[in-house]
Every structure is written in structure tokens, then in C-alpha cells.
Amino acid sequence: MNRVKEIRKERGMSQETLARYIAISRKYLSMIERQNATPSISIAMRIGGALGVSVDKIFLDLPLEKTPVYPKPIRFIDLFCGIGGFRYASKYAFDKLGLEGKCVFSSDIDKYAQESYEANFGEKPAGDITKIEASEIPDFDFLFAGFPCQAFSICGLQKGFADNTRGTLFFDIARIIKEKRPQAFVLENVKNLASHDNGRTLKTILEVLRDELGYHVDYKLLNALDFGLPQKRERIIIVGSKNPFLMDWTFDIKEKKTLNDILEKNVDKKYYASPEIVAKRKAKHTTSVYPSIWHENKSGNISSYPYSCALRAGASYNYLLVNGERRLTPREMLRLQGFPDSFKIVVSDAQTRKQAGNAIPVDMVAKVIEKFLPLAF
Ligand SMILES: C[S@@+](CC[C@H](N)C(=O)[O-])C[C@H]1O[C@@H](n2cnc3c(N)ncnc32)[C@H](O)[C@@H]1O
């Protein structure tokens, strides 16, 4: 059995393109896909490389039914924890599966993120992860991390992740995984990770996780809009386990929140843009969609949708306006990311805007973790 055709289609790649890329004939690739030919190891590796999937995931018969054996509790760490998006997402997934999770370590360098996290989860995250030895972190089973996307300086003769990724925050994730050997991890990053440095950044990350650290790894670009949140937010999710696994990235989402569910009814005057800005926006754009979020792009073009464009930590003040008139409130931004209303806001509006813009879409990541947990253990 092999999954070449299935994964090729998932990647939106034609048979011709893949065959050309790995320098075999289309006919031969077609025979491999129909299980009429068994490729050599070197061709199998080239197929794996081209599809971004480890060879064993494409060519090995994996057990379809296996009973997961979970530790009790599942100890996890929350790196680059921000305001705890992974904390909520994992809690929802653990609860859904009747499992017990326990956070044994969290870290974020930002003082205000630490304040928000402490107010909501009762523990102050440790600071700069680059200064923390893996041996200082308690043992854990699962690692969560939404880390900043940085280029790696790969020099020809250097070998190994320490040389290839040093000075980046991914290096810190890798060294912690290497020393602590958790059963599994879920990492999150921006959509651009896939195209960053001509694809080299993602390729290096996958190679380090698979080849150097020995994990089975898969990844997918997902959009919060497809998970019932009214926000277009595309993120790459990387999942890895010591176990071989086949992740099914299709999700059946029944509950969907609309903008109406998210928007507050009585909004303070301070969130309204000035009459001049509103008049300028309305002179440029009209819409029949109500309610809608108006988005102004870098060139000043305005579009409106019955959902929000991605919240961004460093965006200009008025780039998203509800009905072209007012900014989102801190609570609305948190709701757009799937944070519950029980989340306590203890920092300024500006800090909450940054924190919400940095966070993960909780509903989306919860679904991924829920599906991945039984495969990972
Ligand atoms: C994309 S955000 C992650 C947000 C988080 N997933 C959430 O749901 O709120 C990245 C976080 O990494 C933190 N960070 C950046 N450099 C760091 C470092 N050296 N050590 C620890 N945290 C760091 C930032 O402060 C930021 O909160």
C-alpha cells in the first residue's frame, strides 16, 4: 500500500509535475501510484522529499486501529505561550476525549503576556526561552509552541540542527525536544513559513524534526474560517509524534460563530473612528453586507466581508473597522480568536490588541489536537 496519489493530490500537484520534479517518467509514477511498481529507496526518498512527507508515511502499511495509551495526566509545556491559546485548545481537546492534561511549564518573554497568562491560569510563565536549559524544564509528554518565523543561516559545510538553526527560536524548540524526548508536539506558524526563504525554512524545520530528532511529522495549512470562527486566519500547523501516524486533516465542523455572535452590543464611544475617517472610508467603499468588517490594505484599498481578516499584532489602528465605523473591542478580538468570555483582560487595550493578534485560533487548534492525540499516543 502507498499514499503517493492521495498526498500528491492534497498538495495540489499534478502527476506530471511530480514526475518531472523527481526525474522519473509519468508512466512509472502512475505505476507506483497504482501499486503496480515498487520504487527503489532512492526514488521513494525523492517522492517523500517532493511531497514534504517522510517516506515511511507514504509507503509503509500503518496500523489503522490501535488503542492509544495515554499517560495520566498528560503533562505538557506551553512555549511562546502568549496568552495561552494552546492552553485553551488543549483543554478543550482533553475534555472532549475524557483525558486529563497538566501544564508543567510555560514561557513567554513578554511582560504583559506574562501578566495576562498569570491572571488567567494562575502561574507566571518563565521568561526568555533561549536562557533556559532543557534540564531546568520538568519532564513532559507533549510540547506546544507557536513560534516566530525566522530565517536560518545555513552554511554549506555545517551539519546538524545546532549549526543550521542556531540563533533562531526554532533551535530552542529543537534542543528541548532533543533533550526531553516528549511523545509528541504541535507547532504553529504563519502561512508564510512555507514560502519563507524560498521554502528553505520549512524544509529545514521538517528535516530537523524528522531526520535529526527522529519524529514522524506532518503539517497542513489551515484557515480559522473553516473551523467556525469568523476570521480569515491561515496558519501552518505541524504535528509530530514518536509513533508513525496518518493524520486525517479533514474536519467536520458543526458549530459556526458568525460576526453577530462576536460583536458586542453596547460599544464605548472611544472605539469609534473619527467622522473624517468614517467619511473617507464610506466615500471609497459601499457594501450590502451587514454586519461586516472593513479591511484597508497597504495600498489603501477597502474591502468588506461578513468575517474579519486576520488580526495582526502590529497592525495600524484603523485597518479593520466594524461596518466601516469603529474598531473592534478587546473582547471582540479575543472572541474572534476563540477565547472564552471568562478570559480576564488585565492589560491595556493596546496590549490586548497585540496579544489577540499574536494568539492562535483556539477552535482550530483544539480540533487538530483532538484528532491528533489518539494518533500520537
Ligand atoms: C506568535 S506569539 C504566540 C502566541 C500564543 N500561541 C498564544 O496563543 O497567545 C509568539 C510569542 O513568543 C514570545 N517570544 C518571543 N521571543 C521569545 C523568547 N526568546 N522567549 C520566550 N518567548 C518569546 C512573544 O512574546 C510572543 O508572545
Side-chain angles (χ1 to χ4, degrees), residues 76-79 104-107 126 129 132-140 143 172-173 175-177 179-180:
F76 67 89
I77 66 167
D78 195 3
L79 298 184
V104 295
F105 177 81
S106 54
S107 148
I129 196 66
I132 297 170
E133 296 290 337
S135 57
E136 295 171 52
I137 299 175
D139 289 344
F140 59 93
L143 176 147
D172 294 285
I173 295 175
R175 73 174 166 83
I176 291 168
I177 292 178
E179 181 159 337
K180 305 297 284 187

Side-chain angles (χ1 to χ4, degrees), residues 94-232:
F94 292 142
D95 286 354
K96 200 74 183 279
L97 298 172
L99 301 172
E100 192 193 330
K102 182 173 171 24
C103 182
V104 295
F105 177 81
S106 54
S107 148
D108 199 291
I109 201 169
D110 184 89
K111 169 178 183 289
Y112 300 104
Q114 290 179 345
E115 276 178 25
S116 293
Y117 197 95
E118 187 173 15
N120 283 283
F121 306 107
E123 63 208 40
K124 185 172 177 202
D128 188 349
I129 196 66
T130 65
K131 306 257 164 19
I132 297 170
E133 296 290 337
S135 57
E136 295 171 52
I137 299 175
D139 289 344
F140 59 93
D141 308 297
F142 218 114
L143 176 147
F144 298 118
F147 60 107
C149 168
Q150 296 165 297
F152 304 131
S153 54
I154 302 167
C155 303
L157 288 176
Q158 294 181 331
K159 288 262 152 47
F161 84 90
D163 286 328
N164 290 338
T165 68
R166 192 178 294 285
T168 71
L169 293 166
F170 175 71
F171 167 79
D172 294 285
I173 295 175
R175 73 174 166 83
I176 291 168
I177 292 178
K178 185 172 183 186
E179 181 159 337
K180 305 297 284 187
R181 303 297 302 162
Q183 177 65 24
F185 52 80
V186 176
L187 312 178
E188 179 260 0
N189 216 296
V190 293
K191 180 186 179 185
N192 276 353
L193 181 70
S195 53
H196 197 249
D197 195 15
N198 291 320
R200 277 192 288 271
T201 305
L202 179 57
K203 188 165 171 281
T204 306
I205 289 173
L206 296 172
E207 277 172 9
V208 167
L209 295 171
R210 285 178 180 141
D211 305 339
E212 287 198 47
L213 304 180
Y215 282 79
H216 299 269
V217 180
D218 197 6
Y219 71 96
K220 188 86 178 165
L221 179 67
L222 299 173
N223 187 342
L225 264 186
D226 299 326
F227 290 81
L229 286 174
Q231 183 192 178
K232 182 175 178 219

Side-chain angles (χ1 to χ4, degrees), residues 275-310:
E276 294 75 33
I277 287 180
V278 174
K280 246 180 160 172
R281 292 284 199 284
K282 292 199 170 174
K284 273 195 190 171
H285 184 76
T286 50
T287 182
S288 54
V289 184
Y290 187 89
S292 58
I293 306 255
W294 295 34
H295 171 248
E296 184 181 48
N297 71 10
K298 282 193 188 121
S299 358
N301 294 323
I302 296 166
S303 42
S304 56
Y305 308 96
Y307 54 80
S308 174
C309 289

Side-chain angles (χ1 to χ4, degrees), residues 22-50:
I22 56 177
I24 61 172
S25 70
R26 181 174 167 179
K27 193 168 160 208
Y28 185 46
L29 177 59
S30 162
M31 285 169 69
I32 295 173
E33 289 192 347
R34 284 180 287 117
Q35 335 276 335
N36 288 338
T38 308
S40 66
I41 293 191
S42 107
I43 290 177
M45 306 239 322
R46 271 164 25 218
I47 293 175

